[in-house]
Amino acid sequence: MPGAPAVPANLDHLLLGTADLAEGVAWVADRLGVEAPFGGRHGNLGTANHLLSLGGDIYLEILGPDPEAPPRDEPLPFGIEELAEPRLVTWAARGTDLAALVARASGRGVPLGPVRPGSRLRPDGSELSWEITAFTSVLHDGLVPFFIDWGTTPHPARATPPGGQLISFRAEHPDPAAVRSTLESLDLALEVDEGPEPALVARIRTLDGDETELR
């Protein structure tokens, strides 16, 4: 949208989906020059993640099927098990009082879905906990974020190794006006350009000083 900042003020993290967790970590390492360490497992979802800080309270989450999880009948979040290659599938925006936020969004015609609690164990055994709006409510192919409230839990980016500095973050869509309208109704400022297919584009300055894009 016109006048959108290079990086949305309330961007919490970028979510890069992969059908194979090890391949996703290698894909990111090839582009950023650093290997993301293991974050933890989401036992109720059948997924696990690796994380890298992108400066301040922003991080990159590499999300893939947990290789140690038992087989599941339910699909994984964002259809990551079907991805032909790793890609940015959505993003998370920081929020507070998510129940009220969901109610306001519903009144504006935007279905964010119910608020759910979440948690996972860090490798050191400590627990992260949060509240989150529904993963199942994927709007405009993931270009509209879900919302997360960390409550009293320290933000994960503060204990996550650096992977670079996020310079800019934007979206592309064949119907950018529709995406902008939904974002504006959620009080979100994200640049949305016209493009042949839905995509999120993150420009990152690596630790070596180079610049690269993740999509």
Side-chain angles (χ1 to χ4, degrees), residues 13-14 82 84 107 115 159 179 183:
H13 64 276
L14 309 180
E82 303 294 336
V115 177
V179 182
L183 290 167

Side-chain angles (χ1 to χ4, degrees), residues 6-183:
V7 176
N10 56 347
L11 169 61
D12 188 86
H13 64 276
L14 309 180
L15 202 151
L16 185 130
T18 178
D20 182 279
L21 200 52
E23 289 181 6
V25 171
W27 187 90
V28 170
D30 183 58
R31 288 154 178 79
L32 298 186
V34 60
E35 185 168 311
F38 182 68
R41 294 183 168 85
H42 310 105
N44 61 326
L45 297 176
T47 57
N49 65 19
H50 289 241
L51 308 180
L52 283 173
S53 170
L54 295 179
D57 284 348
I58 299 174
Y59 65 94
L60 173 69
E61 176 180 9
I62 305 168
L63 183 75
D66 182 357
E68 297 186 12
R72 293 167 53 92
D73 294 329
E74 301 90 345
L76 297 180
F78 313 107
I80 55 175
E81 71 274 27
E82 303 294 336
L83 294 177
E85 62 180 0
R87 69 174 180 86
L88 292 175
V89 293
T90 194
W91 58 293
R94 284 187 296 275
T96 57
D97 195 355
L98 296 189
L101 189 154
V102 166
R104 288 196 303 274
S106 179
R108 298 172 182 176
V110 182
L112 292 179
V115 177
R116 305 289 191 195
S119 66
R120 68 170 172 82
L121 292 177
R122 296 178 188 265
D124 64 6
S126 62
E127 185 180 58
L128 287 174
S129 61
W130 58 84
E131 286 190 331
I132 197 169
T133 58
F135 271 159
T136 52
S137 182
V138 179
L139 303 176
H140 296 297
D141 301 280
L143 304 192
V144 175
F146 59 90
F147 287 83
I148 190 165
D149 181 1
W150 293 101
T152 59
T153 294
H155 197 275
R158 301 174 193 173
T160 300
Q165 180 74 36
L166 183 64
I167 300 171
S168 65
F169 179 59
R170 62 182 181 86
E172 297 176 356
H173 195 275
D175 185 2
V179 182
R180 292 184 196 120
S181 176
T182 301
L183 290 167

Side-chain angles (χ1 to χ4, degrees), residues 198-214:
L200 293 168
V201 185
R203 189 152 192 85
I204 298 168
R205 181 177 295 112
T206 70
L207 299 180
D208 291 333
D210 299 324
E211 292 188 10
T212 189
E213 278 190 352
L214 300 184

